[in-house]
Amino acid sequence: MTASTIARNTAAAGGDGAGKKPPRVPRDRTSLWRKLVRDRLLWLCLLPGLAYFLIFHLGAAFGMVIAFTDYWPGISVAQSNLVGVETFQKMFGDPDFWHAVVNTVEISLLQLVFYFPVPLGLALLLHSLTSTTIKRLVQNVVYLPHFISWVIVVALFQQILGGAGVVNGFLADHGLHTVDIIGNPDAFKPLLIAQVIWKDSGWGTIIFLAALAQVDDTLYEASAMDGAGPWRRFWHVTLPGIRSVIVLLLVLRLGEVLSVGFEQLLLQRDAVGPGAGEIIDTYVFYKSLGGGGDFPLAAAAGIFKGVIGAILVYAANKVAHRLGEQGVYR
Amino acid sequence: MSSELSRRSVFRAIGLGATAVAVPSLISACGDGSGGGGVGNAGTEQAAWPTYTAAKVPAPDLPGDGNDVQNGYTKYPSQVGTATNGKPGDGSVVKAVVITYGTPPGPKETNKFLQAVNEALGIDLQLTVVPDADYQAKMATLMAGDDLPDIMNIGGGYILPREADFVASKCADLSEYLSGDAVKAYPNLANIPTRAWKDMGRVKGRIMGVPVERPAPGNIFFANREMWKGVGVDDKAFSAGGWTSTDLLTAAKALTKDKKYALGASKSGNFGLGVHAPAWGAPNLWKNDGGTFSSYFTTPEFKQAVAFMRDLFAAGVYYPDALTVSQVDAKTHFAGQITGSLTDGFGAYSQMVTSAKGAYTVAPALPYAGGSAGGKIFAARSVFGYTVLKKAAPERIKLLLRVLDFLAAPFGTKEYELVHYGVEGTHFTRDAAGNPVQTDLWKGGENKTNLPITYLCDAPQVLFYPGVSPEAIALMHSFEQKTAPNLVRNPAYGLVSDTASKSEAAIRKTITDVLNSVVMGRASLDDWDAAVKRYKADGGDKIGEEYGKEYAASK
């Protein structure tokens, strides 16, 4: 059966059911088809990305159903029994879970306050460089740590700051007090932020630099002629020029407020214990893949994270609109 | 117009996809595995253990006791026989998954060891090696999938989520092939001692796997003898015995200086818990008090051991960053003489001796006495793990068992030689005395560490390692003789508990986190009591009850 015969049959069937109403739909279809044909190249470019989201995000989201069952690896989802919201009750009743949530939010806020502005500042500094050679060189150097895996970054920090590391070795050799950083729960959260800044602030400049490049140079010239110093030019030209990008990134960041970097934490959690190092993701890991085998709980925590993230994005977007910004979407 | 069509075909494709996923699981639903049934042995008819039939082996010059002390060989036997008839396989592909402590093996096109093993076994072995660090996560994923390999080893000391449930529902029941005299069809499997089968245990009364045997000593306090000699505990710690916790603390303090540390430590080692707990007289994981089981966490002896480890930590004698280094790094520190000791399993011995390159003596220290009832050593589970087979037709199961039988060929046979030393002339040569000497190819990575087939199945272990001196063999043999009377066994090995299968891994993690905090002085000993209380409430007590019932049923 060819496409056109099916379409004809369908149209005929639709006609029977709809009585005497004029067949309005086919005209729309044709125009959609025409649009598709006209923009076929764009659609083709979009296809792989669309397939990715359909299969790995939307498709995988159906797996959330296991949060409401007693599934365990070894049986299929279809074989497991529905248990309703029992898993959620168990999770919300577990003090360890709330402890992990508190840690996660703390780390997330620290990242927001101390990490988020760093790429912006770095981008502004880079943007103010006049020599393109130096600018390129610095850019490349600060991008590099992004490509180093967390295992290496954590080992690097340990080799430098650890109890048997370079810094403490130097201090001990000179009869000075050694410092307790790695494995010290009190120093753990600042250490995490320092690692993120070292690793990713360079990479984070890319979007800001692109935004800065969009700011019209004539505005700088005009304000300079009006007697504006560097600080006033930054305040009245640069910042308004990139404000929408900052707000956009901030809103997106809020959506991930409960994801603070699984690998980084998993690698270091045991050294400081769950008191300082347990986040939602490691809590979930130890309850499921890491030995506990409680997959419904892992799915429930995933849903919890998703719902909170969605609410925050929605709220932040509304606030952005109130402030007269575009936000992520209208 | 064809947008309608494509929309329909997309829906059809999704529907088809969903069916394709659902069908195999419906087939497997015919088994008994949908979660609720229970995996215990109580109330089931229990398959008899395989009849032990000792294989003929060359006479050892350091004879064992047939139980806790291994046969020791200070030189390789001059005559080696064969232990199998013909090739076990039919040339078919056999997929297997196994834990690895090495790096991935080279592809079969270039790997002469794998080629020789394939040739001898008559199969095309496709081995998936899972690094130790990823083992639990990877195995849980594998268990959830529908495409299981033919042979799976569950080992390395890990408890997998719902392990017994998985084995009961997805793996082949081997009872009819192995129980009682049936095992005689596989003479090398019949040579595996009964204690190994028992420690593996049954599931629902059935024999579901083949154990990979391990000798009696559990965790051992391996020491750099020369370093400890310098602080005056040589005789007490290594030959005469009778040293105490005070001796250990004093010596460790004296030894720790100039960036050298008395005690090595790692993330997985829990500050040498496996040595300190029995030294203070704690039971081996579970205590069986007339049929009532309680966890070692709950005993006062265990708490004393924790308090002592806390003192050791406070004295600064552990390697700093104890909880950030891996066991591999900890071994490097020991080999580099940065640390004076390391707690590790028996199996680490030969490698530690080799790494020492004769610069110092790797000596297993005798247990020290902590408290009044101490001075003990934990017996290891008699198995490294056990190997299960995917459900298949009887002919296929028999073929796979023949493969395992080949791998279990005892020391002093051609088969053992191939599996443990590789191909003569390629992977090993012989010295004047006829001992195998490993070649650079083997040492460089084409070996059984990187192609860990001996974790699929293995012969009962003996004390003989190529490249390890007769003195080192004799040292370990004497250690086994001296510690044999002090071995503490785990009464729960081989018993199955539903609750343990479901939640032990998680509640163990929780209490181990507290243990580490207490040792490091971040939490108090009162916090330990609270953690024990929580452990009991979260399932510890229930597991004990279930072991009690199982134990009563198995008597």
Side-chain angles (χ1 to χ4, degrees):
Chain A
M1 207 187 268
T2 63
S4 51
T5 51
I6 290 180
R8 235 178 285 134
N9 292 347
T10 319
D16 288 346
K20 289 172 187 170
K21 277 183 185 171
R24 209 161 45 82
V25 185
R27 203 179 53 215
D28 279 350
R29 278 185 198 160
T30 319
S31 78
L32 179 66
W33 177 240
R34 283 217 177 118
K35 275 185 206 161
L36 281 176
V37 172
R38 186 190 62 206
D39 302 332
R40 60 185 176 280
L41 197 66
L42 286 174
W43 282 107
L44 213 63
C45 293
L46 195 63
L47 208 59
L50 208 60
Y52 165 78
F53 278 102
L54 281 177
I55 297 168
F56 292 104
H57 288 257
L58 201 61
F62 286 109
M64 288 195 294
V65 74
I66 67 171
F68 304 96
T69 68
D70 61 355
Y71 169 84
W72 62 278
I75 60 172
S76 73
V77 178
Q79 277 173 287
S80 48
N81 305 310
L82 277 176
V83 295
V85 292
E86 200 181 277
T87 310
F88 287 91
Q89 285 169 345
K90 184 171 73 180
M91 184 173 81
F92 292 140
D94 183 356
D96 288 353
F97 171 73
W98 292 111
H99 185 85
V101 171
V102 169
N103 266 339
T104 310
V105 172
E106 264 181 45
I107 294 169
S108 203
L109 289 179
L110 285 171
Q111 281 185 359
L112 205 61
V113 174
F114 293 99
Y115 166 70
F116 188 78
V118 177
L120 176 61
L122 195 62
L124 289 170
L125 288 177
L126 280 170
H127 190 64
S128 64
L129 284 174
T130 42
S131 156
T132 39
T133 325
I134 296 179
K135 190 173 161 182
R136 289 259 163 80
L137 187 77
V138 174
Q139 265 178 300
N140 280 321
V141 170
V142 297
Y143 289 168
L144 276 180
H146 174 76
F147 298 99
I148 302 176
S149 82
W150 272 116
V151 181
I152 310 282
V153 173
V154 168
L156 215 68
F157 271 76
Q158 192 189 313
Q159 292 290 328
I160 295 170
L161 299 172
V166 178
V167 170
N168 277 323
F170 178 83
L171 292 172
D173 286 345
H174 293 78
L176 300 165
H177 267 296
T178 53
V179 287
D180 180 19
I181 298 173
I182 305 282
N184 177 357
D186 298 330
F188 186 60
K189 281 168 189 155
L191 176 75
L192 288 179
I193 307 301
Q195 287 169 341
V196 174
I197 290 177
W198 185 83
K199 187 175 188 291
D200 277 334
S201 54
W203 188 250
T205 59
I206 291 178
I207 291 182
F208 289 122
L209 281 174
L212 286 170
Q214 296 297 310
V215 181
D216 194 345
D217 278 343
T218 53
L219 290 174
Y220 286 113
E221 281 169 26
S223 57
M225 285 177 69
D226 288 345
W231 176 247
R232 307 220 80 174
R233 286 203 297 273
F234 166 70
W235 191 252
H236 293 293
V237 180
T238 315
L239 262 192
I242 60 170
R243 198 173 65 183
S244 59
V245 172
I246 299 176
V247 171
L248 175 82
L249 290 178
L250 208 56
V251 172
L252 288 176
R253 179 72 203 107
L254 280 174
E256 295 192 335
V257 76
L258 296 182
S259 304
V260 289
F262 168 65
E263 221 185 328
Q264 186 195 6
L265 267 295
L266 182 71
L267 287 163
Q268 302 179 90
R269 172 216 185 261
D270 280 359
V272 292
E278 190 89 290
I279 57 165
I280 298 176
D281 290 353
T282 54
Y283 169 84
V284 163
F285 177 77
Y286 287 113
K287 292 282 181 199
S288 58
L289 280 177
D294 197 342
F295 287 71
L297 187 83
I303 293 175
F304 174 78
K305 274 175 68 174
V307 168
I308 301 285
I311 292 172
L312 283 175
V313 167
Y314 181 77
N317 203 40
K318 281 276 175 230
V319 173
H321 293 167
R322 287 274 165 80
L323 296 175
E325 289 295 337
Q326 188 65 33
V328 181
Y329 57 88
R330 274 280 173 193
Chain B
M1 292 203 172
S2 43
S3 70
E4 177 67 36
L5 169 78
S6 59
R7 217 182 305 159
R8 283 184 164 206
S9 2
V10 165
F11 279 124
R12 210 178 298 135
I14 291 171
L16 201 69
T19 335
V21 173
V23 164
S25 25
L26 284 175
I27 294 167
S28 61
C30 301
D32 40 17
S34 60
V39 288
N41 294 299
T44 61
E45 194 182 323
Q46 312 216 6
W49 294 119
T51 311
Y52 174 69
T53 317
K56 253 185 79 183
V57 293
D61 36 2
L62 298 168
D65 66 356
N67 202 20
D68 294 331
V69 183
Q70 296 169 271
N71 283 341
Y73 296 85
T74 53
K75 60 179 191 307
Y76 196 65
S78 49
Q79 294 275 316
V80 293
T82 54
T84 54
N85 293 316
K87 287 182 185 179
D90 57 4
S92 58
V93 170
V94 171
K95 289 183 184 170
V97 65
V98 73
I99 194 168
T100 182
Y101 302 96
T103 51
K108 75 178 168 200
E109 287 74 25
T110 54
N111 191 323
K112 294 198 181 85
F113 184 36
L114 179 56
Q115 286 166 8
V117 168
N118 271 339
E119 170 62 25
L121 289 171
I123 57 171
D124 180 4
L125 181 64
Q126 296 184 356
L127 195 64
T128 304
V129 294
V130 183
D132 178 35
D134 305 335
Y135 188 70
Q136 276 178 315
K138 176 87 197 240
M139 288 303 279
T141 320
L142 184 91
M143 281 158 67
D146 280 317
D147 189 22
L148 294 175
D150 301 290
I151 305 179
M152 290 158 277
N153 180 265
I154 301 178
Y158 289 106
I159 312 166
L160 299 181
R162 315 272 302 245
E163 182 176 313
D165 294 276
F166 166 75
V167 169
S169 65
K170 291 267 186 103
C171 303
D173 179 356
L174 304 178
S175 309
E176 62 172 298
Y177 310 97
L178 300 176
S179 180
D181 285 347
V183 76
K184 287 180 179 167
Y186 312 96
N188 301 317
L189 299 182
N191 182 44
I192 296 172
T194 308
R195 64 180 167 87
W197 296 97
K198 280 189 172 164
D199 275 7
M200 171 185 80
R202 286 174 281 229
V203 178
K204 290 184 175 176
R206 311 300 291 169
I207 296 171
M208 303 298 292
V210 176
V212 177
E213 187 266 358
R214 282 295 177 269
N219 279 318
I220 297 176
F221 184 84
F222 289 108
N224 177 323
R225 189 163 181 178
E226 283 72 19
M227 277 170 96
W228 291 81
K229 204 181 253 178
V231 290
V233 288
D234 188 57
D235 191 46
K236 277 184 181 176
F238 302 108
S239 54
W243 65 326
T244 64
S245 51
T246 319
D247 294 334
L248 172 59
L249 182 59
T250 316
K253 277 186 188 165
L255 205 159
T256 304
K257 60 182 177 211
D258 302 334
K259 292 186 194 163
K260 291 196 186 302
Y261 305 91
L263 308 176
S266 78
K267 247 188 233 184
S268 59
N270 300 118
F271 300 98
L273 176 69
V275 159
H276 298 299
W280 286 85
N284 188 348
L285 295 167
W286 290 92
K287 181 177 177 181
N288 177 3
D289 204 353
T292 309
F293 280 67
S294 46
S295 164
Y296 71 165
F297 290 130
T298 64
T299 62
E301 292 86 359
F302 190 92
K303 192 179 169 187
Q304 285 179 309
V306 174
F308 181 61
M309 293 193 289
R310 189 181 159 92
D311 292 345
L312 288 171
F313 188 88
V317 297
Y318 282 109
Y319 180 78
D321 311 326
L323 290 181
T324 43
V325 298
S326 66
Q327 187 73 2
V328 176
D329 290 342
K331 281 183 187 178
T332 315
H333 298 149
F334 181 75
Q337 306 202 57
I338 295 167
T339 54
S341 72
L342 184 64
T343 296
D344 208 330
F346 168 87
Y349 181 60
S350 64
Q351 194 211 338
M352 284 168 103
V353 171
T354 320
S355 307
K357 297 193 174 89
Y360 54 93
T361 315
V362 180
L366 297 165
Y368 68 88
S372 51
K376 306 279 185 196
I377 173 173
F378 282 162
R381 191 178 181 181
S382 293
V383 295
F384 166 83
Y386 58 97
T387 296
V388 292
L389 305 179
K390 182 170 87 168
K391 280 181 181 162
E395 283 315 307
R396 179 74 179 166
I397 297 291
K398 284 179 188 167
L399 182 151
L400 297 173
L401 284 173
R402 284 197 301 273
V403 168
L404 298 184
D405 183 63
F406 185 101
L407 295 173
F411 179 73
T413 61
K414 282 276 168 213
E415 291 86 348
Y416 184 96
E417 210 169 83
L418 171 70
V419 170
H420 293 79
Y421 313 134
V423 179
E424 182 162 6
T426 308
H427 300 107
F428 74 96
T429 54
R430 290 182 200 274
D431 65 10
N435 292 317
V437 178
Q438 294 161 348
T439 61
D440 288 341
L441 181 67
W442 183 272
K443 287 181 191 161
E446 203 172 291
N447 56 36
K448 74 179 173 76
T449 304
N450 296 339
L451 187 74
I453 47 175
T454 47
Y455 294 138
L456 293 175
C457 202
D458 202 357
Q461 295 200 334
V462 296
L463 285 171
F464 176 83
Y465 312 101
V468 172
S469 67
E471 292 77 27
I473 300 286
L475 192 64
M476 182 50 88
H477 191 261
S478 132
F479 174 80
E480 288 187 359
Q481 282 179 321
K482 283 179 189 157
T483 53
N486 291 322
L487 284 167
V488 185
R489 290 174 205 285
N490 176 356
Y493 281 146
L495 304 180
V496 181
S497 144
D498 273 335
T499 309
S501 179
K502 279 177 200 152
S503 61
E504 189 173 18
I507 60 176
R508 241 191 121 75
K509 176 75 191 163
T510 308
I511 195 167
T512 310
D513 282 334
V514 179
L515 174 94
N516 288 337
S517 298
V518 173
V519 172
M520 296 178 84
R522 286 185 207 136
S524 69
L525 281 165
D526 292 340
D527 294 329
W528 173 253
D529 293 333
V532 169
K533 219 170 176 180
R534 182 169 171 201
Y535 172 85
K536 285 159 71 78
D538 282 357
D541 280 345
K542 190 138 185 265
I543 296 172
E545 271 170 44
E546 288 169 5
Y547 280 147
K549 275 185 206 149
E550 277 270 298
Y551 176 74
S554 67
K555 268 200 289 198

